[in-house]
Amino acid sequence: MDHAWSGVLGVTRDWNGGVHWDPASGIGSSTGYAGHGVTAAYVGGRTLMELAFEKETERTTLPWVGYRAPKWEPEPIRWLGVHAMYRLFGIADQWEERRGSSKTSLLARFGSRLAGLHE
């Protein structure tokens, strides 16, 4: 087994993870951890091992096995959306800090929607 980390923002479009195993090629992947990297990498690795050895366990029946997230928008729309989200969160953080706010600002909520998160 080998592993790789890549990308500036390593999440799927809907922020859901997926574990994929192709028995014909012997290639598998565990992707889309979205802020839960250590735990998801551990569970994903265990799940891949069980799939590779054709073991039926609670992990191999989890909904992320075989899950395919929606594709990202085409470039440059994806790039513009990601950078707009970063900028909105930055402005929202500054705004909330200046006002001493304990509530999420409208800008941050809009940024979350743009990112595919829903509060």
Side-chain angles (χ1 to χ4, degrees):
M1 261 191 205
D2 199 0
H3 66 281
W5 297 92
S6 63
V8 175
L9 183 62
V11 298
T12 58
R13 182 62 182 100
D14 62 1
W15 295 72
N16 291 315
V19 176
H20 310 278
W21 176 253
D22 179 12
S25 68
I27 296 174
S29 65
S30 180
T31 60
Y33 302 147
H36 306 285
V38 173
T39 301
Y42 175 78
V43 176
R46 296 288 304 255
T47 306
L48 280 171
M49 184 271 306
E50 293 163 353
L51 291 168
F53 287 97
E54 298 178 351
K55 294 183 177 184
E56 290 188 28
T57 67
E58 288 181 332
R59 280 184 288 272
T60 62
T61 62
L62 290 171
W64 74 340
V65 174
Y67 177 76
R68 297 280 182 202
K71 293 188 181 289
W72 283 93
E73 290 74 11
E75 298 295 350
I77 296 169
R78 184 211 54 88
W79 187 91
L80 290 169
V82 168
H83 287 275
M85 174 196 64
Y86 286 149
R87 188 72 180 129
L88 279 171
F89 284 143
I91 293 168
D93 286 346
Q94 292 171 357
W95 175 271
E96 291 167 9
E97 190 173 317
R98 270 197 311 265
R99 300 181 91 208
S101 178
S102 62
K103 293 184 178 182
T104 303
S105 71
L106 183 60
L107 280 176
R109 283 185 273 162
F110 179 71
S112 291
R113 289 282 182 173
L114 184 61
L117 301 171
H118 304 287
E119 295 181 16

